Amino acid sequence: MGFNIGSVDPLFLACFAIVALPALAFGTIMIFTWRRDNLSLGISLTCSTIPLILAWWLFFTVKGATLAEPIILQVNWMVSDAVVVPFGFHLDPVSLLMLVIVATISWLIQIYSIGYMEGDPGFARYYADLSLFGMAMLSLVSASGMVQLFISWELVGLASYLLIGFWYEKFSASEAGKKAFVVTRFGDIGFYMGLVFLLYFMKDISLFGLGIADINNIGLTQKLTEAQITLCALLIFCGVAGKSAQFPIHVWLPDAMEGPTPVSALLHSATMVAAGVYLMTRLFPFFAASATAMAVVLAISTITLILSSTIGMVARDIKQVWAYSTISQLGFMAMGLAAAGLAHGTLFAGYYHLTTHAAFKALLFLCAGVFIHHFGTNDFFVMSKDGGRKLMIPMVTVTIAALALAGIFPFSGFFSKELVLAQLWHLDNKLWVGLGLFGAFLTAYYTFRVIFVLLFPRPDDHPAWQTYYVREEVAGHGHGAHGHEEEEAHGSHGHGGHGDHHGVPWVMAFPLIVLAGFTLVLGFMQTRIEKFLLGESHPHELNYLLLVLAVGCALGGIGMAWLDWGRARANWSGFLSKFPMLENFFIQKWYMDHFWRWFLNTVIYGTFSRIFTYNDRRVVDGGVDAVALGTIGSGRLLSFIQTAFLQLNLLFMVLVLAGVGIYLLMGR
Amino acid sequence: MTEHLASFPYLSCMLLSPVVGLFILLFLKEHQRLAIRMVSLVAAGISFGLSIYTFVSYDKALGGLQFVEKYQWVKAFGITYFVGVEGMNAPLLLLTGIVIFTGVLTMWELQERVKEYFIFQLALVTGVFGVFMSYDMFFFFLFYEIAVVPMYILILIWGSTRKIYAAMKLTLYLMAGSGLIIPGILLLYSSSGLFTFNMLQLHAVQFSPWVQKLTFVLMYLGFGVLAGVWPFHTWSPVGHVAAPTAVSMLHAGVLMKLGSFAILRVAMYLCPQGFQYWAQFMGLLAATGIVYGVFVGLAQTDLKYVIGYSSVSHMGIVGLGLATGTVDGLNGAVFQMFAHGVMTALFFSAVGYIYDRTHTRDIHELGGFSKIMPVASAFFITAALCGAGVPGMASFWAELLVLIAAVKVFPIRGLFAIASLVIGALFALRVVQNTFFNEPNPKFTHFEDVSPFLGLPRMILIGFLIFFGLFPQVMVSMIKSSIVPFIQGM
């Protein structure tokens, strides 16, 4: 470790502080202050405010870093022989923007959690875990080499594991944490193999510590054959799919909602799950070098979009709906990047959608958190009944965010989704844009299903409740299981029940307002952000046909939601109930959970583990025991010779001597 | 290899400190428990301090063998007392120091036959130190046997769960291993024609290929038994389970490394051509062990069995690294020996604390321990995460080096080893979930958490894991300083 502080670039120190301070907070809280809530809170907040300021400072002051010529500051972390791992920072517009997003949202969540987690017995541990996450995510975003990125990637997974299973006494929470870790690990192994293969293929050329810039150059200079790039890109995409919850390893994300709601907002919607898409953006030139890989990515992300949107239509836990909407929007981002890769576009569309999504999705979850905190339930039908719309700030902000998610002008989601669709439009095969539009329609529908239910509560004798109760029984084994758990874990610590309303505390309202502000403003910042990212902004020729189609789909979805859920006579059954088979298929989440459960129980535990264990007990160990028993047995057998009968011994001696004599005589 | 004589006999002091402690213990009475513990702690502490000193003050730029002490013992047979430190054994001496020191602290609460226990434990650790520092094959083997014998008694008297079976099995297995090693050593001794056991001199001899091939496989299998090489591993989980806490720590943490270190130091060093011939075979056994260990571990319900099988898998990583025969692979292998040693010691020490109170290790019976004893749980969870290969801990780097090197040499075996990391994570988290999360078992809620004093040894172990996780270069540059000349000499 050549740390010589005197000669180090101040820029390096600033970046180092951004990463190291949250790590310091984690260590300090975990070792020293874990019994003292307020002190821990103070440490954690200090160690997230300074990185916030530094990140914005870098964002505005670092000049001259472009996509083609990033600023790379690094020192050697580990030097073995062929394996060299640098530790450092890769500053370019992509990483600077993401640094700001992550630092800002982390900070807002820390503020919000003061109210949300108040009085929880694990308060200090919660802030320690959030700090760990902050450190890992900021390091992931700014890493200069792939190994450092991978390390941060795993640490992000660790923080996610700890936070999902935060209320570990609950079986469902500890199970969900384990599932998240193992499923994403499944993808990460692909990532790991991808990196190892890259090194393997580059045998003769020393790839300095697998630097990000070097990998992107591979795509441009074509040092590898296309097949090799495709293999590596697809393996790395496994990691992307794991973290960004793409089909078929998306199953961990809905379960991850077992964690506290601010955690869902920070990790499982705005920042951590976007890390996968961020990695694709980061390595965009490399990915774009393989058309085959891009086509596969496009197909997978489209399946993800449709799958999650359809499941979102039937979920009745508000966090589940937002979770599936997250998966579908991640699908959108990946589609945007893949389409750009295929049609020689830029990374702007997908990345811009990531930016806007981070703001409005965090907002959606934080609003949901306010409702959950207030009403002690996750079921938005019950929230509606208990007077959800009386909470002014969250209700207004959740509607803003929902409009953005549905893609309505002038909210930010409209602009970014429009760009992604435009990228898809450029492809020869119009199927993709069609599916994208269909996804946009479904998104608007399920989003406004929630909004309309919350906005227009029904009296208790309304026929709609009939449908609700009947369907609760039907779907009891589906989402019902998740229903009221957060309340149990959480409500018992003396949070205000229904009786003692005291509005929304300012620490929880403030982040909502800030994020709502971003949601309103980011759309109009499009050209500026594009200029910042790409160094130039291309004037977009407006494709009126696509514009009309997209807005039509969004409005159509909202209109459909109004007919099914909003208007006074709507009986809350949804158009899907006309297709019971299909609806049940969606309620069962396309049977993906069943598939993985079967895979784990039957293939891993039932087959491999059992056979190997049997083999170990019976064959390997059994063989050894058999040798031991054989030794004892043969000893017993031979001991019969030692009978102390002189006659027998003499006879034996004579026989042996006779045998030897005969042998000697015959031999001569 | 250049030899730099020691100005002060640091290594002999490190070796003799437990012996002196042992003799003092002989004169103490059983009821003087505090005195017995203090003597053992001081004896272990001196060795620990010296092992840190040699690690820190080893001059990497100078390289070669440092702190050398050489005294002729039996001239007729060419036996010399020859000890030294270089880059590849310094980490292992440090590891031994850490594990014995924390082991004594972990066994502080022992009530039964305290005196005898510490006597045997100190005897055991003398042997371990001796193996790691000897450069004379006779002493190497002598210390090797000294390390094995006390294990039998320690398990037999202070053990649990089928202890007689386990002690017998372990001893027979290791004796069978020794039965293979002795012919190997004698073969080299007699065919060299030098009448010396000095390894450095034997290294200079060009043995004929068939001698090398035969000796290598004898030694590989013989030492491999102790290193837990698949399929000669079954003694180890059984032994871990039966042994008392600190003995499990020493056993899995240090003793298994004797085997892998000996493969590197003796077999590969003296028979390079034999190694080239058998490398594919070694790689195959190692990769099988990695995959096999995690799958079998997945089905276990006894905490110590789980750790035992994770050791089989992690020692497979060491074996795979050795089999590559490249600088990265060997760096990773030695690093993994160190990292796995500290990690397993932490594992057993955490399990021991819980077992001493609950008297069960069945993961279905335990549960919710994060609520009952948060600190003790944190120790175990840290070890489990380290075992699952989470970065920020020492073993991540070791695995990274080994796996990258392995894919280059044996692509398919390397990929299988990488793929097993998923199961490794599942395996670790399954135990953590069942034992530490969920609702606590009401039977166990009255137990108290670890006191700061008993927490100390665990904190030392975690400290080393994290220190080398954050600053891997400290370890890698150390190991590399002797691996590079080692490979060049092969």
Side-chain angles (χ1 to χ4, degrees):
Chain A
M1 290 292 293
F3 273 152
N4 182 5
I5 298 293
S7 64
V8 172
D9 194 336
L11 203 57
F12 183 86
L13 274 186
C15 294
F16 187 70
I18 290 180
V19 174
L21 279 174
L24 189 69
F26 170 71
T28 315
I29 296 173
M30 270 313 203
I31 299 174
F32 300 111
T33 68
W34 56 280
R35 286 179 215 268
R36 307 180 60 182
D37 289 352
N38 286 335
L39 188 60
S40 304
L41 172 66
I43 293 170
S44 176
L45 268 184
T46 318
C47 291
S48 69
T49 312
I50 298 173
L52 173 78
I53 296 166
L54 285 173
W56 280 100
W57 176 71
L58 289 179
F59 183 73
F60 285 114
T61 57
V62 172
K63 300 274 186 256
T66 61
L67 280 181
E69 286 171 0
I71 298 178
I72 299 174
L73 311 157
Q74 57 189 15
V75 294
N76 278 336
W77 195 2
M78 189 192 72
V79 186
S80 180
D81 182 37
V83 184
V84 176
V85 179
F87 172 84
F89 306 98
H90 180 109
L91 297 182
D92 68 355
V94 171
S95 60
L96 286 171
L97 179 59
M98 191 72 181
L99 267 180
V100 167
I101 296 173
V102 172
T104 310
I105 295 184
S106 304
W107 185 77
L108 287 173
I109 299 289
Q110 293 217 353
I111 299 288
Y112 178 90
S113 301
I114 299 174
Y116 194 86
M117 300 301 289
E118 187 194 352
D120 193 282
F123 191 79
R125 182 165 53 94
Y126 176 81
Y127 271 93
D129 292 349
L130 276 191
S131 298
L132 173 68
F133 169 76
M135 177 280 250
M137 193 69 204
L138 290 166
S139 157
L140 190 161
V141 167
S142 57
S144 67
M146 286 306 280
V147 178
Q148 187 192 349
L149 196 149
F150 183 77
I151 289 171
S152 319
W153 184 271
E154 288 292 299
L155 286 178
V156 163
L158 171 66
S160 158
Y161 167 71
L162 294 172
L163 284 166
I164 295 170
F166 181 73
W167 287 309
Y168 56 76
E169 316 87 89
K170 241 184 2 172
F171 178 73
S172 55
S174 67
E175 188 73 13
K178 185 177 78 172
K179 184 173 178 183
F181 195 88
V182 173
V183 172
T184 49
R185 206 36 168 356
F186 192 76
D188 293 351
I189 293 307
F191 186 6
Y192 203 118
M193 286 185 185
L195 293 184
V196 173
F197 265 117
L198 263 181
L199 276 174
Y200 182 60
F201 291 142
M202 301 292 288
K203 254 177 212 152
D204 46 338
I205 305 153
S206 85
L207 196 58
F208 182 62
L210 277 176
I212 283 165
D214 301 318
I215 294 181
N216 284 337
N217 280 334
I218 295 174
L220 298 176
T221 56
Q222 306 196 325
K223 279 179 197 151
L224 303 183
T225 64
E226 171 139 1
Q228 289 173 333
I229 295 184
T230 305
L231 178 66
C232 294
L234 284 178
L235 282 171
I236 293 177
F237 181 73
C238 291
V240 173
K243 201 122 281 184
S244 282
Q246 301 291 298
F247 175 85
I249 43 179
H250 63 277
V251 287
W252 65 274
L253 186 57
D255 290 27
M257 299 302 136
E258 287 290 339
T261 309
V263 168
S264 309
L266 175 61
L267 274 74
H268 306 120
S269 65
T271 56
M272 180 190 105
V273 290
V277 176
Y278 176 75
L279 178 65
M280 271 185 80
T281 318
R282 188 76 288 189
L283 298 180
F284 184 72
F286 175 69
F287 273 97
S290 163
T292 323
M294 278 292 156
V296 174
V297 172
L298 185 59
I300 288 182
S301 50
T302 311
I303 295 174
T304 310
L305 170 69
I306 302 297
L307 170 136
S308 53
S309 307
T310 50
I311 301 174
M313 284 160 59
V314 292
R316 62 172 20 150
D317 173 336
I318 187 165
K319 284 176 78 178
Q320 291 286 323
V321 178
W322 296 157
Y324 281 106
S325 82
T326 304
I327 302 179
S328 71
Q329 297 310 303
L330 290 167
F332 252 124
M333 296 171 207
M335 282 170 85
L337 288 171
L342 284 174
H344 306 291
T346 63
L347 53 83
F348 180 62
Y351 194 45
Y352 181 50
H353 195 52
L354 189 160
T355 313
T356 57
H357 175 260
F360 69 71
K361 187 49 65 67
L363 180 54
L364 281 173
F365 267 102
L366 292 186
C367 292
V370 174
F371 289 123
I372 292 170
H373 189 68
H374 203 91
F375 298 110
T377 174
N378 282 10
D379 185 329
F380 58 86
F381 291 95
V382 178
M383 289 173 190
S384 158
K385 190 165 80 176
D386 292 343
R389 70 170 172 183
K390 288 195 194 104
L391 296 174
M392 273 307 286
I393 299 176
M395 201 58 232
V396 172
T397 48
V398 81
T399 312
I400 291 175
L403 286 166
L405 175 59
I408 300 297
F409 186 83
F411 302 97
S412 59
F414 166 78
F415 298 91
S416 54
K417 203 176 274 185
E418 193 62 34
L419 273 177
V420 171
L421 289 171
Q423 283 291 356
L424 292 169
W425 185 266
H426 288 309
L427 296 177
D428 294 332
N429 191 342
K430 295 288 181 248
L431 173 70
W432 303 116
V433 72
L435 288 171
L437 285 168
F438 181 57
F441 165 76
L442 292 177
T443 306
Y445 177 79
Y446 67 69
T447 311
F448 273 82
R449 169 170 169 258
V450 176
I451 299 298
F452 286 139
V453 168
L454 281 177
L455 270 181
F456 306 112
R458 301 292 141 93
D460 280 346
D461 53 349
H462 192 277
W465 285 107
Q466 299 277 327
T467 349
Y468 172 79
Y469 290 123
V470 170
R471 294 154 69 75
E472 187 162 48
E473 281 160 26
V474 173
H477 52 286
H479 294 293
H482 288 287
H484 304 265
E485 283 160 355
E486 189 153 336
E487 173 193 15
E488 287 161 23
H490 193 164
S492 55
H493 314 310
H495 280 302
H498 300 212
D500 50 340
H501 286 190
H502 36 71
V504 183
W506 73 267
V507 281
M508 290 168 80
F510 166 70
L512 299 186
I513 295 166
V514 173
L515 287 170
F518 277 121
T519 307
L520 287 170
V521 173
L522 273 176
F524 299 100
M525 306 283 281
Q526 183 184 339
T527 42
R528 281 202 195 174
I529 295 176
E530 187 171 11
K531 201 160 177 200
F532 176 76
L533 280 175
L534 304 175
E536 57 191 345
S537 91
H538 307 280
H540 292 276
E541 75 255 49
L542 272 179
N543 185 336
Y544 287 103
L545 176 58
L546 182 64
L547 195 68
V548 170
L549 278 175
V551 174
C553 279
L555 289 177
I558 295 176
M560 198 79 171
W562 168 255
L563 288 178
D564 283 349
W565 309 91
R567 66 196 166 113
R569 282 182 295 116
N571 61 355
W572 282 5
S573 62
F575 71 93
L576 259 183
S577 57
K578 304 206 171 56
F579 313 98
M581 290 270 286
L582 206 56
E583 189 181 24
N584 191 41
F585 185 60
F586 295 158
I587 289 177
Q588 300 300 336
K589 307 173 200 168
W590 291 36
Y591 293 95
M592 286 309 293
D593 273 337
H594 295 74
F595 168 75
W596 284 112
R597 179 65 35 207
W598 170 85
F599 179 77
L600 189 65
N601 283 342
T602 312
V603 179
I604 302 285
Y605 281 112
T607 309
F608 284 108
S609 185
R610 243 186 62 204
I611 290 177
F612 281 15
T613 310
Y614 183 82
N615 179 54
D616 207 54
R617 292 255 163 80
R618 301 284 150 170
V619 182
V620 180
D621 218 17
V624 173
D625 284 349
V627 171
L629 288 177
T631 313
I632 296 171
S634 57
R636 290 241 168 82
L637 214 61
L638 286 175
S639 73
F640 287 120
I641 297 173
Q642 304 295 327
T643 48
F645 276 118
L646 208 56
Q647 298 93 318
L648 274 180
N649 286 4
L650 275 174
L651 177 67
F652 194 67
M653 205 170 87
V654 168
L655 282 177
V656 171
L657 280 176
V660 171
I662 290 167
Y663 171 77
L664 288 174
L665 284 173
M666 301 297 280
R668 290 286 151 90
Chain B
M1 203 180 321
T2 49
E3 294 165 25
H4 306 278
L5 290 180
S7 53
F8 176 84
Y10 292 106
L11 291 180
S12 296
C13 288
M14 196 193 295
L15 185 66
L16 288 178
S17 165
V19 178
V20 173
L22 188 158
F23 277 106
I24 297 175
L25 286 186
L26 286 176
F27 295 104
L28 289 173
K29 296 216 166 50
E30 172 68 23
H31 61 82
Q32 295 167 304
R33 294 216 169 131
L34 186 67
I36 293 172
R37 289 173 187 146
M38 284 312 294
V39 168
S40 322
L41 188 66
V42 170
I46 292 173
S47 293
F48 179 39
L50 287 172
S51 69
I52 294 178
Y53 176 77
T54 49
F55 186 89
V56 174
S57 64
Y58 178 85
D59 189 342
K60 282 176 261 189
L62 195 61
L65 209 53
Q66 300 179 10
F67 303 100
V68 171
E69 293 167 47
K70 234 175 184 175
Y71 310 103
Q72 204 149 54
W73 196 44
V74 182
K75 200 174 177 189
F77 297 128
I79 300 174
T80 36
Y81 171 78
F82 176 19
V83 293
V85 172
E86 61 175 323
M88 73 171 80
N89 65 357
L92 296 170
L93 289 173
L94 177 64
L95 169 69
T96 314
I98 297 170
V99 175
I100 181 61
F101 184 71
T102 54
V104 171
L105 283 175
T106 306
M107 294 309 275
W108 206 256
E109 291 180 316
L110 182 75
Q111 299 297 333
E112 181 196 355
R113 296 181 187 233
V114 182
K115 179 175 145 185
E116 287 91 337
Y117 176 83
F118 283 111
I119 288 176
F120 283 114
Q121 194 170 349
L122 290 176
L124 169 66
V125 83
T126 311
V128 177
F129 273 124
V131 173
F132 286 139
M133 61 176 74
S134 290
Y135 282 80
D136 181 275
M137 273 206 299
F138 177 82
F139 272 98
F140 192 94
F141 188 72
L142 177 74
F143 284 124
Y144 183 85
E145 291 297 307
I146 289 179
V148 172
V149 173
M151 188 62 101
Y152 175 71
I153 299 159
L154 284 168
I155 294 179
L156 203 60
I157 296 177
W158 292 272
S160 59
T161 328
R162 296 213 294 166
K163 57 186 181 183
I164 296 173
Y165 171 77
M168 195 57 116
K169 184 168 192 169
L170 179 141
T171 314
L172 287 179
Y173 244 118
L174 299 187
M175 287 301 156
S178 303
L180 294 174
I181 298 165
I182 295 179
I185 291 179
L186 293 180
L187 196 60
L188 287 183
Y189 179 72
S190 57
S191 58
S192 73
L194 291 176
F195 294 103
T196 178
F197 281 102
N198 184 327
M199 279 196 236
L200 302 189
Q201 287 177 15
L202 286 174
H203 175 65
V205 179
Q206 281 288 333
F207 294 104
S208 67
W210 75 267
V211 171
Q212 295 207 15
K213 285 175 196 167
L214 182 61
T215 314
F216 185 85
V217 74
L218 285 174
M219 287 192 170
Y220 172 63
L221 295 179
F223 288 125
V225 168
L226 189 53
V229 168
W230 186 89
F232 311 112
H233 63 276
T234 49
W235 63 274
S236 83
V238 179
H240 293 332
V241 170
T245 305
V247 177
S248 300
M249 287 167 67
L250 274 166
H251 179 194
V254 182
L255 223 67
M256 290 178 87
K257 276 74 198 174
L258 288 189
S260 49
F261 177 73
I263 292 174
L264 175 69
R265 182 76 268 173
V266 183
M268 287 171 66
Y269 186 59
L270 298 181
C271 315
Q273 286 179 24
F275 164 69
Q276 302 295 352
Y277 183 77
W278 291 103
Q280 294 288 329
F281 176 67
M282 278 174 79
L284 188 65
L285 289 191
T288 313
I290 294 173
V291 177
Y292 189 89
V294 285
F295 275 111
V296 178
L298 208 52
Q300 304 302 320
T301 54
D302 184 312
L303 275 179
K304 275 189 161 183
Y305 266 114
V306 173
I307 306 168
Y309 279 102
S310 86
S311 288
V312 171
S313 179
H314 286 129
M315 289 306 288
I317 299 261
V318 174
L320 194 62
L322 294 179
T324 61
T326 60
V327 175
D328 288 329
L330 295 186
N331 274 346
V334 178
F335 199 168
Q336 172 77 351
M337 288 184 211
F338 176 83
H340 175 250
V342 179
M343 180 189 94
T344 327
L346 179 59
F347 253 133
F348 280 117
S349 135
V351 171
Y353 183 84
I354 294 170
Y355 179 72
D356 285 347
R357 279 151 190 76
T358 61
H359 297 288
T360 179
R361 291 186 302 253
D362 189 332
I363 59 174
H364 296 303
E365 212 175 317
L366 300 166
F369 267 79
S370 287
K371 199 136 226 167
I372 306 168
M373 21 178 114
V375 181
S377 311
F379 294 145
F380 187 93
I381 294 170
T382 312
L385 292 174
C386 187
V390 167
M393 310 271 191
S395 57
F396 170 80
W397 295 102
E399 283 177 14
L400 181 81
L401 285 172
V402 170
L403 293 174
I404 289 180
V407 169
K408 279 188 186 158
V409 183
F410 323 106
I412 303 295
R413 278 162 253 187
L415 288 185
F416 268 102
I418 295 178
S420 75
L421 293 179
V422 187
I423 310 293
L426 178 61
F427 162 112
L429 298 189
R430 168 178 163 267
V431 175
V432 167
Q433 185 199 10
N434 278 317
T435 314
F436 299 101
F437 297 157
N438 306 337
E439 282 296 333
N441 185 336
K443 259 198 296 187
F444 304 132
T445 41
H446 60 280
F447 291 120
E448 281 182 19
D449 204 355
V450 181
S451 65
F453 179 73
L454 286 175
L456 179 70
R458 283 93 177 178
M459 285 305 288
I460 294 175
L461 293 169
I462 292 182
F464 276 101
L465 277 182
I466 292 181
F467 177 79
F468 288 112
L470 294 181
F471 305 104
Q473 189 58 20
V474 177
M475 185 59 91
V476 172
S477 61
M478 179 66 134
I479 301 169
K480 203 173 117 183
S481 70
S482 75
I483 291 291
V484 172
F486 182 91
I487 299 256
Q488 283 162 355
M490 265 171 76

